[in-house]
Amino acid sequence: MIDGFLALYIFMLAAFTGYEIIARVPVILHTPLMSGSNFVHGIVLVGAMIALGHAQTPFEITIGFIGVLLGAGNAAGGYVVTERMLEMFKPSKPDAGKGSH
């Protein structure tokens, strides 16, 4: 029973700390931080795969499978969003037919 409360306490503390840190990040730093945090999503995915590998009951297997699905989606989505955000900072290409006569 105490282990459950300790896990809940750690989860709530991590959620609050994460929210406070992210809320204070300036907009200009969002893209580099998001790009750098994608590796964390990969670590979460690896952890979910390890948990799934150790699952024994159907409930544990289901939870592990959902964790792997969500972790993979989060990692892939993070890379897609980062790529789109970085495209905004690239200089626009001039049109080939305009400007030179």
Side-chain angles (χ1 to χ4, degrees), residues 38-59:
N38 282 335
F39 82 94
V40 175
H41 301 303
I43 293 171
V44 169
L45 179 58
V46 169
M49 290 189 292
I50 290 171
L52 179 60
H54 287 93
Q56 296 176 353
T57 66
F59 179 71

Side-chain angles (χ1 to χ4, degrees), residues 75-86:
Y79 283 109
V80 169
V81 169
T82 300
E83 183 64 29
R84 289 188 68 190
M85 292 176 76
L86 291 175

